[in-house]
Each structure stands twice: as C-alpha cells, then as structure tokens.
Amino acid sequence: MLSPALESDLTRLAGQALVRPADTLAELQTLEATLPAAEQQAAALQLARVRGLAEVCHGELTGLQRLLAAQRASAAAPARLRFDLARTLAIAYAHTGLHDDSLEWARHALDLARQAQDPQAQAEALLSCGVAISRGGDAEQGLALYAQALEGFEALGLPRMQLAVRNNMGINLKNLGRPAEALAQFEQALALAEAHGLHDSAALLRTNLAEPLAQLGRLNEARAVGEQAAAEHAGRSHPAGETTARIGLGLVLLECGEQERAAAQFERALALCAQTGDRLTLQRAHWQLSQLHKRAGRHQEALAHLEAAHEAERAQFNEDSDRRRRALQVQAELLAAQTDADQQRLRRLELERAHAELRSLHERLQAADREKTRLLARLAEESRTDALTGLPNRRQFDERLALEWPRSPGLQLALIDVDHFKQVNDRFGHALGDAVLQALAQPLREARADLALRLGGEEFGLLFLHGDRERALQACEALCERLRRQDWAALHPELRITVSIGLAGRAEMAAAPDLPAALYARADARLYAAKRAGRDRVVGSEPRP
C-alpha cells in the first residue's frame, strides 16, 4: 500500500512525462533517492511505468523495454495498475509511430477496464483507442471513439479530460475539412479550461482556434485570438507552445494580407525551433517563408528556405523511421531474451522428464520463434518502405543508387513534386491529401521505370537504369499526361492533380566530385525550374539563357 503523498507524486509525474520528460526523469531520481527501501519495493511497478514513459518521450527506447518488462511482471498486481501499464504502453507506442501496436495495447486496456467495471478507466481507454486510430489515418472512426470517451468523462464530471477529448475532436474535424464543427469543439473546450482555471490548456486551445476561424472567413477574430495565444505562450520555459502559436498567427496574417507581419512570425518560429528541435514546425516555417519570398520576387531567398524546408522534412522522416525501427528491435530483443530463458528451462525439464510441461514449453517456443520472425521481417520492411504509399523510401533509394551507379551508364533520375499540394491539404484536409498520395503510387509503379519511390512529403522519384534520356523523358511526359486524365473527382469533385518533374542523367555528371549527390542536385534544380515555368511539365535539360 502506497502513501497518499507518493501516489499523488506518481500521478503528477505520469501526466508531466509526455510534455516535460527530462524534468520528469530528474524528479524521479530525486524521489527515489528519498524513498525507504520498503516503499521503493512496493512502488516498483508504478515507478517503472512513469520512468519508462518519460524515457520513451525523451527519445530513449530503453523505456519501452522497461514498460514491457513491468507489464509482464504485473500478473498479480491490482486491476487498476495492470490497466495503467497497458494504457501507458499504448501511449508509448503511439509516440514511436507504431500505431498498430498502440491500438492493440489500447484495446487490451479497454478489456481490462470493462472486466474491472471501472467507468473512468473505460473512458480513458476509449480515448487512447481514438488517438491510435486517428493517428493511423481513420479520423472518422477516431471521432466516434472520442464521442464515447467524452460521454464517460461528462458523466464522471472530469473537466480536464473533457477538454482533452474535445480538443482531439476539433483536430480531427479540422483535418476532415469541417471547420465550423471543429470551431465548436475548440470553443467548448476553451470554456471548460477558463471555467476551471486551466490556463496552459486555454492557451493551447486559443492556438487551435485561429485556423478554423480563418477558414470560415472570420479573419479579425482569428487574428485577435492568434495574437492572444502567442502572447500567452511567450516567455514560458517550454517554448513549443509559442512556436505553434507563431505559425498559426503567421498563417492568419497572410490571409489578412499582412505579409511583412506574417514573415516576422515565421522568423520568430524559426528561432524558437532552434531551442525545441521541432523539425515539423521548422519545415512549415521555412516553407511559408519560401512562398513569401517567391511572391516578392526574391528567388534566391525563396530557394534557400525551400531547400531548408525539404531538409527538415527529410531529417524528420528519417528520424521517425529510425524510431519505429528501434522500437521494433526492442520488441525483437525482448522476445529473443524470453525465448532464451524458456530454452534454458526446457533443458532442465528434459533432465527431469516433465513431459507435460515440456510439450507446453515447446509450443511456446515455436510461437515465440514465429513471432520473432514476423517482427524481424516487419523491422526490415519498415526501414525501407514508405508506410503510406507502400513505395520504397529514401533509404532504399540511396542504397539502390549507390549500387547501380558504377554499372548503369544510362541511369536517369526523375524527381517529382505534386503541384499545389499544400492547397489540397488546406482546402480539403490532410486525410484527402493522404488519399491523393496513395492514389499516385500506382501510376508511378506503372511509369516504365526500374524503381518508383517516395522521398518524403509530396516528393517522389523514378529511377531509370537502362535505355537513354529520350526513353526516360517520354516516360515522364506520359506520367504527366496520365495524371491530367486521371479521375480525381472520385476523391473530391473539385480536385485536380498535376505534377512537376525534373530529369537528370548519369552521363551529365562526368566532372562532378560526388556523382550521385550531384545527380540528385541537378534533378532537383530542374524540378524547381519546372515549378517556375508554370508547373505540370517535365524539365530535362538546362533552361536556355
């Protein structure tokens, strides 16, 4: 039995671990140093849960190993602790980007909550299921689960949890292109935060309010709430909230035609990103600044920001892939350790001729071996394949290009970018944007190239290993024409998708010191030339002066 003071500290630290993991780990170390040995032993699983979550959120995937070990050791623990461990694993897997595993643990937590007939635990588990399904790409089903969770929290009178669910519902509705409904959810969440003195939550919700207000044409309100949110976040010790608020305010100011003020907000966001390491926000800020400079005719500055945006996006993509790969590797290593322990026990039982348990352990070993094989195969696939489109990713492209360069003199590289893709996301929502990227995969596979791949974001590539430049150019032109004729109305009646393509060949690179990198740079420059020339075209040579 834990003391009320220790239970309170652990509850507070578990909530803090998601947003301030480094502080949480430091406080845990201090707390453990002051606990008597008997109390440390009694609280071992709870301490492991909080520490494991903080480690995962801090980028240390040993925390996932700690959580899985605690869950395996919890068979005789109280029902609420077993539920907390399962839900914490759902949160940890969501943080690593393994949404299928996150959903599996969230559903396990829901089963435990129903068995225990615990209404609050059931609502918390439904919230975790909604998060996992929403992040996996099904915003509509996520909304249905959030509505069930909200009903539970309202019945229990838990305002902090109610506003968290309404905030998530607002985000899903915004991504589905339903700004009026999103605004209603954010406003109800904000009213709860203000009524209960939850100031940090209120500032975050004001940040979220700005975008749907702007989409509904209420620009003065959007600007006022955006400025208030930025001011509330400014000067706090954790600048992540201010970074998001500055980006949101900058977008509203653009809609108001105040380009210089908008640029100042994006520049401030860039400076804050240097403290937070937030590459996604860094990419958004660079992208908006590139568009501002481009409209002003400052093409050199526009190109510099565009390149920085692409670099941030690629770095984030690689980091996310590595995090998922390392999480799968942790699972595989734990399974291997468990298998080794079972094998040692099997040897002892063979000597003792305990036939019944031998058969049971043998079956477990076979199942564990099959699961290990599945995890290792998934690990290999995850590291080389884009999860959204099923196309090879940048890692596989780099490997193939290095392999083929010395033996394929006719090699040609086409870099492809979806035209006005940001407008697709802004007008129709990110769910439709993802559907567009998925719909592009099949035409790319059929484009008569030796390798089609997704490099990240809305950027794709084609690699031609044989033939000549003319063959590659014809294949690229044919791809442009096919996408012009494709029935995009099946996704949305107002949708039209075209691409711009830059093409470069190995034969052009004879004097370059770093040949594959130079090939990529030349194709990228021609892609940018295609954009400048009006988009929906292929540029396969240097423009005439």
Side-chain angles (χ1 to χ4, degrees):
M1 191 75 177
L2 303 185
S3 68
L6 180 55
E7 283 192 352
S8 175
D9 282 339
L10 289 172
T11 300
R12 176 182 60 82
L13 290 171
Q16 177 182 292
L18 290 168
V19 292
R20 294 165 52 196
D23 292 346
T24 302
L25 290 170
E27 287 189 52
L28 273 173
Q29 186 173 356
T30 302
L31 176 64
E32 289 172 337
T34 61
L35 282 179
E39 200 165 7
Q40 274 204 38
Q41 185 175 359
L45 289 177
Q46 291 95 324
L47 289 166
R49 180 177 77 88
V50 178
R51 180 176 291 279
L53 180 59
E55 286 172 340
V56 170
C57 294
H58 196 243
E60 303 170 23
L61 289 182
T62 52
L64 186 59
Q65 191 172 18
R66 187 186 304 278
L67 288 171
L68 288 167
Q71 189 275 331
R72 285 201 306 274
S74 68
R80 180 68 201 199
L81 177 54
R82 286 185 284 118
F83 165 82
D84 285 339
L85 283 164
R87 184 165 181 255
T88 301
L89 276 162
I91 296 168
Y93 274 111
H95 191 81
T96 62
L98 295 175
H99 301 303
D100 289 343
D101 295 288
S102 175
L103 180 58
E104 181 178 344
W105 281 107
R107 285 173 172 161
H108 180 53
L110 183 57
D111 289 341
L112 291 171
R114 285 171 173 163
Q115 291 169 19
Q117 298 182 338
D118 184 334
Q120 181 173 339
Q122 289 182 51
E124 291 172 3
L126 285 166
L127 173 57
S128 292
C129 288
V131 170
I133 286 176
S134 299
R135 290 186 178 180
D138 193 342
E140 286 286 2
Q141 188 179 354
L143 277 175
L145 288 163
Y146 287 147
Q148 293 179 54
L150 180 61
E151 183 178 352
F153 291 131
E154 286 178 337
L156 293 163
L158 299 173
R160 187 182 291 274
M161 299 305 297
Q162 291 174 48
L163 74 86
V165 178
R166 288 194 181 278
N167 183 56
N168 285 2
M169 293 176 76
I171 292 169
N172 275 26
L173 289 163
K174 181 187 69 173
N175 291 340
L176 287 168
R178 293 151 62 180
E181 294 171 71
L183 181 61
Q185 293 296 336
F186 289 141
E187 287 178 335
Q188 290 180 70
L190 180 59
L192 280 167
E194 291 178 333
H196 294 275
L198 304 174
H199 303 299
D200 287 348
S201 298
L204 170 65
L205 289 161
R206 270 187 273 273
T207 299
N208 290 341
L209 273 171
E211 184 173 346
L213 281 170
Q215 290 173 346
L216 293 168
R218 296 160 62 178
L219 295 180
N220 288 336
E221 293 173 70
R223 177 168 52 189
V225 77
E227 288 173 343
Q228 184 179 354
E232 286 176 331
H233 283 294
R236 295 187 178 180
S237 58
H238 300 281
E242 183 183 354
T243 308
T244 304
R246 296 291 178 187
I247 290 288
L249 178 57
L251 293 172
V252 172
L253 291 169
L254 278 182
E255 291 291 329
C256 295
E258 301 180 39
Q259 295 193 3
E260 293 302 318
R261 289 191 64 200
Q265 296 300 323
F266 298 138
E267 292 285 358
R268 174 60 181 160
L270 284 182
L272 290 168
C273 286
Q275 303 175 45
T276 64
D278 181 355
R279 291 197 187 95
L280 290 176
T281 306
L282 182 70
Q283 185 266 336
R284 292 181 67 197
H286 276 303
W287 168 259
Q288 294 298 336
L289 285 166
S290 76
Q291 300 306 299
L292 279 169
H293 285 301
K294 183 179 178 181
R295 284 194 289 270
R298 298 187 292 269
H299 295 296
Q300 186 172 356
E301 291 89 340
L303 178 58
H305 281 292
L306 182 62
E307 289 174 344
H310 282 311
E311 179 57 33
E313 182 181 41
R314 288 167 189 158
Q316 186 64 47
F317 179 82
N318 288 337
E319 182 179 306
D320 290 345
S321 295
D322 285 343
R323 186 166 56 245
R324 288 193 296 270
R325 176 184 57 78
R326 287 188 288 122
L328 286 169
Q329 190 171 4
V330 165
Q331 287 181 273
E333 289 171 353
L334 282 172
L335 190 57
Q338 182 180 342
T339 302
D340 287 343
D342 283 345
Q343 285 175 334
Q344 292 176 14
R345 189 176 176 198
L346 181 60
R347 294 188 190 101
R348 291 196 302 270
L349 289 172
E350 283 175 343
L351 295 173
E352 299 167 5
R353 297 191 175 280
H355 298 295
E357 193 168 358
L358 274 172
R359 283 193 298 271
S360 174
L361 280 171
H362 182 64
E363 290 168 1
R364 285 173 57 191
L365 282 169
Q366 287 183 320
D369 188 63
R370 288 193 297 270
E371 179 65 4
K372 183 171 73 172
T373 300
R374 183 189 70 81
L375 280 170
L376 290 173
R378 184 176 167 193
L379 178 62
E381 182 69 15
E382 180 76 25
S383 68
R384 304 177 76 251
T385 303
D386 173 59
L388 180 65
T389 63
L391 293 172
N393 63 14
R394 179 62 182 269
R395 185 188 301 274
Q396 190 172 160
F397 164 73
D398 289 338
E399 292 171 359
R400 188 70 181 274
L401 184 60
L403 178 68
E404 297 291 348
W405 186 269
R407 65 187 189 190
S408 300
L411 184 146
Q412 303 280 329
L413 170 63
L415 293 183
I416 303 162
D417 196 88
V418 182
D419 295 328
H420 302 298
F421 185 73
K422 182 179 180 298
Q423 295 178 17
V424 173
N425 281 333
D426 289 347
R427 288 187 62 195
F428 307 118
H430 290 276
L432 184 64
D434 285 349
V436 168
L437 298 177
Q438 289 172 323
L440 284 166
Q442 193 59 31
L444 284 162
R445 289 190 184 98
E446 297 172 358
R448 293 182 294 164
D450 295 286
L451 182 66
L453 58 138
R454 183 185 180 199
L455 293 168
E458 67 271 26
E459 187 174 354
F460 296 82
L462 293 174
L463 198 60
F464 303 86
L465 303 179
H466 310 292
D468 53 19
R469 176 183 172 281
E470 203 58 36
R471 173 179 171 273
L473 190 60
Q474 290 173 5
C476 293
E477 295 284 5
L479 175 62
C480 284
E481 178 60 26
R482 175 172 176 176
L483 296 178
R484 291 184 200 111
R485 292 186 287 102
Q486 185 153 323
D487 181 18
W488 295 104
L491 295 178
H492 194 283
E494 299 176 24
L495 186 64
R496 178 178 177 269
I497 296 296
T498 60
V499 297
S500 298
I501 304 177
L503 178 68
R506 182 186 187 284
E508 305 173 53
M509 301 292 108
D514 185 358
L515 301 182
L519 175 68
Y520 190 99
R522 183 163 298 186
D524 196 50
R526 290 176 181 172
L527 168 62
Y528 196 70
K531 294 282 188 184
R532 289 200 306 272
R535 297 181 170 81
D536 189 18
R537 67 193 64 225
V538 182
V539 172
S541 60
E542 300 300 325
R544 294 180 180 178

